Amino acid sequence: MSARNLSNVSKKSHEGAKKHPNQSQQSPTKAGFKNQVFERVASLVRESDCEEAVEVLRAAGFDIQIRNALGVCLMRAGRPEEAVAVFRQFVLQSDGVSERKELSNAYKRNFATALLMKGSPSGAVSVLTETHELDHPMAVRISGAIRSWAKSLSWWRRFDWKINGIEPANCHVPLDFEPGEFDFETVVRQQDLPRDGRFGLAV
């Protein structure tokens, strides 16, 4: 099902509800529509077609789980700048600086990953620190990627990073894992953790 078809399903469900208010069972509920979107997106992700998944999600509205999935698909499509913009819209409060405390840490880890992919490991560290859940498998992976990247720096750049938290301009942090957590994915398996088993931030 294409993004256009999903949009039409949503439109028809609202029209049907207006025409037949007592027959709501005949129209997809909001939750049902979201599940339909997620099923389509999951299928596209399995086929490595994240670009199409992005289009499906853009047409699916502004539900926070939909927006999270959009950010993840943008990362997996190699568009971290757009992913950062999406996560900023719902992870940060209106001041554009502090994070919304009531949000799932998974969304914050996704924001951290997007920042990392954009070339801001310092931003990723800052966001991860605020989750207070540094032993989560995905947090361990993100931190491990930062640690490996730091080891590749020249001694002066590494010193500047460790002491001042300043990364080189236009830096690139390689990831050895699939970025992002969907609401409809299972948690990372224990055997997928880094072999050194270390937790904590790589600074």
Side-chain angles (χ1 to χ4, degrees), residues 44-150:
L44 289 168
V45 170
R46 285 193 294 269
E47 297 168 2
S48 299
D49 192 356
C50 288
E51 291 288 355
E52 177 63 19
V54 165
E55 296 308 311
V56 170
L57 290 162
R58 284 200 190 281
F62 292 90
D63 176 273
I64 194 168
Q65 291 181 316
I66 294 289
R67 301 303 286 176
N68 177 65
L70 173 60
V72 173
C73 286
L74 283 167
M75 285 194 288
R76 296 189 181 189
R79 296 155 65 178
E81 294 85 0
E82 294 174 68
V84 167
V86 168
F87 288 121
R88 281 189 190 280
Q89 292 172 357
F90 69 89
V91 172
L92 299 182
Q93 298 191 46
S94 57
D95 60 10
V97 178
S98 53
E99 298 169 19
R100 293 171 57 187
K101 297 185 182 299
E102 74 277 11
L103 279 186
S104 164
N105 279 342
Y107 301 158
K108 298 174 185 179
R109 287 190 295 270
N110 286 342
F111 184 30
T113 305
L115 288 168
L116 189 59
M117 293 178 67
K118 189 182 177 184
S120 178
S122 60
V125 167
S126 177
V127 173
L128 277 184
T129 300
E130 290 299 315
T131 67
H132 303 291
E133 194 181 11
L134 302 182
D135 59 346
H136 185 279
M138 185 57 76
V140 173
R141 286 180 161 192
I142 296 168
S143 183
I146 297 174
R147 185 182 296 110
S148 296
W149 161 80

